[in-house]
Amino acid sequence: MSSLSVITPFDVETIRQDFPALHQMVHGKPLVYFDNAATSQKPSLVIDRIRKYYERDNSNIHRGVHYLSQQATEMYEEARKKIQTLINARQSYEVLFTKGTTEGINLIAYSFGQKWIKPGDEIIVSALEHHSNIVPWQMMCERTGAQLRVIPMNDAAELDMEAYAGLLNERTRLVATVWISNALGTINPVAEMIRMAHERNIPVMLDGAQALPHMQVDVQALDVDFLTFSGHKMFGPTGIGVLYGKEKWLEEMPPFMGGGDMIEKVSFEKTTYNELPHKFEAGTPHIEGGIGLGAAVDYIQSIGYEAIGKWEADLLQYGTEQLLTHFDDIRIVGTAAHKASVISFLVGDIHPYDTGTILDQLGIAVRTGHHCTQPIMTRLGIPGTVRASFAFYNTREEIDRMISGIRQVKKMFKS
Ligand code: PMP
C-alpha cells in the first residue's frame, strides 16, 4: 500500500494487485469489470481493515468506558475526520454517516421538508436524476403540498441552463441535482448552478454518488449546502454513506429517525436531542462500514484524484473512439461535452439486455437497462442502454476485450 503513494507515472498493474476481486475467472474468462457506476471493487486495505476491526476492535461505540469501546469509537470518529478532510468540510460534525446516497437524500427531504416546506413551494431537480433524487422529493411534495420542477436537457444530455435560470423563483426552496449522471456520465455545471441559486438565497443539494469516485470535491470552495454520497461506489463498503450539510442547516433541521445515541435527555414527557452529528445518527451505526470507508479514503488519497482523473479521461476517450471506429451502427447515448468515465451505448437494434448477456458469457461485466433513471430513457425514447463504467483500475486492454465481445454479439444477432 505505502508504495502506492510514490507511484508516478500511473502504474495500473500495481494498482490492480490491490483489488483481489479483479483477478478471477467468470464463465472461464478473466473478469473485465465495467460496472463501477453501480458499485466499485474494494482494495485489500479496506477488506483488511474491516477484518481487523472484527478480529480485534469490535465493540459498540459512544457509550462504553471500556477499552474496546473507546478503541472502536476512536476509529469511527477518525473515519469521519478523514471524510471531513477529503471533502474539505469546515467541521467534522457536518459529516453525517448514513446508509448511502439514498438515505442522505431521504433525510434532507424529510427534515428540511418538515422544517421549511409549505404548500405551493417548489423544489428543483434535473432531467438527469437517479430515481433516488426524484422519489423522496415526490414523497415530500405529497406530504407538504409543494411542487417538483424539472430542469430539461438537450439531446446530448446536457442541462438547459437558460431553462434552469427561468425555474429559479421566489417559491423555490431547494435545488437538488445530480452532479454526475450515473446513466450517461454527464458532468453538470454544479458550481454555476450553485452560484445562480445562491443569488436568490436558495440552498443546493448535490447528489455526489458518482462524483466522489472520480474527482476532488471541496464543499467550501463550491459553497454547496448539502452533498450526499455512497461508500460502495468509492471503493469502500456497502451500507455506509455520507451526508454533508452546512452547520447552519443541520442545527435547525429536526431529526430524521429517533432512538439511541441521538438523544440528550429522555423522559416520557419530553426528549431533547443530542448535538451534531449524533442528532442524525440514531441507533448503533454501521461501525465497520465507517471504518472501512475511512480506509477507502486513505486509498484514494494514496493514488490522488489528479492521477485518477487523467487515467479515466484516457479510458473514456479510448473507449468512445474504439466503439465508433470499429462499428458503424453503435449509438453512444449521452454525448455531453463534459463527461465522466461512463459510456452508455446501443448496438444496432440489438436489445441492451441481449448485448449484456453475451458480454457476460465472455467474462465482461457491463450493466444494461434504465440504470434507475427511467425519465432519461423516456426523454430519449429508448428502453435502456448498455453501460460500461470505468474505474482507475481498468485498462485499454479490457476495452479491447469489450470491442471483440461486441463483434461476437453482432455476429450472433447478424446485426
Ligand atoms: N445517485 C446516483 C447518481 C447514483 O449513481 C446512485 C447509485 N446508482 C444513487 C444515487 C443511489 O445510491 P445508493 O444506492 O448507494 O444509495
Side-chain angles (χ1 to χ4, degrees):
M1 221 329 275
S2 54
S3 63
L4 277 177
S5 54
V6 292
I7 286 173
T8 50
F10 197 73
D11 183 350
V12 74
E13 284 313 321
T14 305
I15 283 168
R16 286 176 69 82
Q17 291 309 316
D18 292 330
F19 291 83
L22 295 179
H23 308 283
Q24 62 182 302
M25 306 292 273
V26 169
H27 303 307
K29 310 274 182 344
L31 169 68
V32 171
Y33 188 76
F34 281 170
D35 196 17
N36 294 287
T39 200
S40 60
Q41 297 302 342
K42 320 302 173 199
S44 300
L45 185 77
V46 170
I47 300 165
D48 292 348
R49 207 166 289 174
I50 294 170
R51 187 184 174 88
K52 204 145 99 196
Y53 168 76
Y54 277 123
E55 285 179 347
R56 202 187 57 188
D57 307 305
N58 175 49
S59 185
N60 211 332
I61 59 170
H62 292 150
R63 290 180 286 272
V65 291
H66 63 80
Y67 177 79
L68 284 187
S69 177
Q70 291 188 4
Q71 279 289 103
T73 303
E74 211 171 284
M75 290 166 74
Y76 189 71
E77 291 305 325
E78 201 186 308
R80 195 190 304 277
K81 291 209 175 83
K82 285 178 184 185
I83 293 152
Q84 177 198 359
T85 306
L86 182 78
I87 64 173
N88 192 29
R90 205 179 297 271
Q91 307 291 350
S92 63
Y93 52 75
E94 293 175 317
V95 172
L96 311 181
F97 281 121
T98 63
K99 261 187 354 194
T101 307
T102 304
E103 186 178 287
I105 298 170
N106 276 275
L107 190 160
I108 306 170
Y110 178 87
S111 298
F112 189 97
Q114 177 152 327
K115 177 83 185 174
W116 286 297
I117 307 294
K118 307 266 174 316
D121 286 350
E122 295 180 1
I123 312 296
I124 296 179
V125 298
S126 84
L128 282 162
E129 301 310 325
H130 186 280
H131 295 161
S132 67
N133 200 33
I134 301 173
V135 185
W137 302 113
Q138 289 173 325
M139 290 162 65
M140 189 207 77
C141 286
E142 269 175 31
R143 283 194 301 272
T144 60
Q147 303 268 328
L148 201 61
R149 296 277 176 260
V150 184
I151 312 163
M153 68 178 193
N154 64 20
D155 291 341
E158 294 165 320
L159 295 186
D160 179 339
M161 292 295 279
E162 256 177 54
Y164 172 57
L167 285 172
L168 293 164
N169 66 46
E170 65 287 350
R171 292 181 301 279
T172 314
R173 289 291 160 268
L174 186 75
V175 175
T177 181
V178 69
W179 191 334
I180 298 179
S181 161
N182 62 302
L184 308 182
T186 306
I187 303 177
N188 286 327
V190 294
E192 174 74 352
M193 293 172 81
I194 292 166
R195 195 188 56 71
M196 289 164 68
H198 283 183
E199 273 173 11
R200 290 175 167 270
N201 290 323
I202 299 164
V204 177
M205 185 220 88
L206 291 182
D207 169 352
Q210 299 292 339
L212 271 290
H214 302 292
M215 58 162 75
Q216 185 77 54
V217 170
D218 183 331
V219 292
Q220 289 190 66
L222 274 175
D223 198 25
V224 68
D225 298 276
F226 299 100
L227 170 76
T228 61
F229 51 95
S230 301
H232 69 96
K233 292 181 199 286
M234 52 185 290
F235 319 102
T238 51
I240 187 82
V242 169
L243 165 59
Y244 159 81
K246 279 186 188 166
E247 182 177 1
K248 68 171 181 179
W249 301 117
L250 296 179
E251 275 296 345
E252 295 285 315
M253 281 160 52
F256 178 40
M257 286 196 282
D261 233 25
M262 54 75 75
I263 55 89
E264 179 192 49
K265 201 163 175 9
V266 179
S267 72
F268 284 112
E269 290 71 38
K270 184 172 169 56
T271 289
T272 52
Y273 303 127
N274 203 342
E275 59 193 14
L276 293 173
H278 311 295
K279 182 172 91 173
F280 290 104
E281 295 182 356
T284 299
H286 187 9
I287 304 168
E288 79 280 17
I291 292 168
L293 181 55
V297 169
D298 288 343
Y299 188 83
I300 290 172
Q301 287 179 326
S302 75
I303 299 176
Y305 276 112
E306 204 186 327
I308 290 172
K310 277 190 192 144
W311 186 260
E312 292 180 350
D314 177 75
L315 293 176
L316 174 66
Q317 194 190 346
Y318 182 76
T320 307
E321 275 171 17
Q322 291 299 304
L323 281 168
L324 294 175
T325 312
H326 288 278
F327 309 106
D328 52 16
D329 58 351
I330 285 270
R331 172 177 166 198
I332 306 263
V333 183
T335 50
H338 298 287
K339 273 182 73 171
S341 52
V342 173
I343 308 180
S344 250
F345 60 93
L346 291 165
V347 185
D349 56 3
I350 302 169
H351 196 281
Y353 181 82
D354 293 328
T355 305
T357 306
I358 292 165
L359 289 178
D360 174 56
Q361 289 303 309
L362 301 168
I364 303 163
V366 293
R367 188 148 290 241
T368 64
H370 55 64
H371 317 297
C372 296
T373 58
Q374 284 180 2
I376 296 181
M377 303 303 148
T378 306
R379 161 67 179 78
L380 297 173
I382 52 178
T385 70
V386 182
R387 182 187 69 187
S389 53
F390 311 126
F392 55 75
Y393 46 61
N394 290 126
T395 64
R396 283 184 171 210
E397 291 71 33
E398 289 181 309
I399 291 173
D400 294 340
R401 286 245 335 257
M402 183 177 74
I403 297 292
S404 57
I406 293 171
R407 217 169 266 129
Q408 295 204 34
V409 172
K410 283 171 60 85
K411 228 184 260 164
M412 285 185 73
F413 285 88
K414 300 199 169 40
S415 163

